[in-house]
Amino acid sequence: MDAGIVGSIAVAIITGLCTSTATIVASRITNSKNQALWNYRLDKLEEKVDVHNHVVQRVAILEERIKDLIHGNNSV
C-alpha cells in the first residue's frame, strides 16, 4: 500500500476516535444533567402529592364529623 493512503487511513481513524470520544462525553454529561432535573422534578411532585393526600385525609375526617353532627351524635 502507498504510504499516503496509510497515512490518510490513520488520520481518518484518529479523527473518528476523537469525534466519537467527544460525542460520548457530551452525551453522558447531558444525560447526567437531565437525570438530575428529572429527580428534582419527581421530588417536587412527591411533595405536592403528600400535601394533597394530607388534605384529602383531613376532608374525610371533617365529612365524618359533619355527618355525626347531622345525625345527632354530639360526642365529637
Side-chain angles (χ1 to χ4, degrees), residues 5 11-12 25 27 30 33 35-36 39 42-43 47 54-55 61:
I5 293 175
V11 168
V25 169
S27 294
T30 301
K33 288 180 180 179
Q35 186 63 44
N39 289 342
L42 183 59
D43 288 342
E47 289 173 11
H54 183 68
V55 169
I61 292 169

Side-chain angles (χ1 to χ4, degrees), residues 3-73:
I5 293 175
V6 172
S8 295
I9 292 173
V11 168
I13 291 172
I14 292 170
T15 303
L17 289 173
C18 290
T19 303
S20 297
T21 301
T23 301
I24 290 169
V25 169
S27 294
R28 289 193 182 242
I29 290 171
T30 301
N31 286 343
S32 175
K33 288 180 180 179
N34 284 339
Q35 186 63 44
L37 177 61
W38 276 105
N39 289 342
Y40 172 78
R41 293 183 68 173
L42 183 59
D43 288 342
K44 292 299 176 186
L45 180 60
E46 288 173 349
E47 289 173 11
K48 288 181 179 182
V49 168
D50 289 342
V51 168
H52 171 77
N53 289 342
H54 183 68
V55 169
V56 169
Q57 290 170 347
R58 290 175 57 196
V59 167
I61 292 169
L62 290 173
E63 287 174 341
E64 194 64 34
R65 287 183 180 173
I66 290 170
K67 187 171 89 174
D68 288 344
L69 287 173
I70 290 172
H71 293 298
N73 185 355

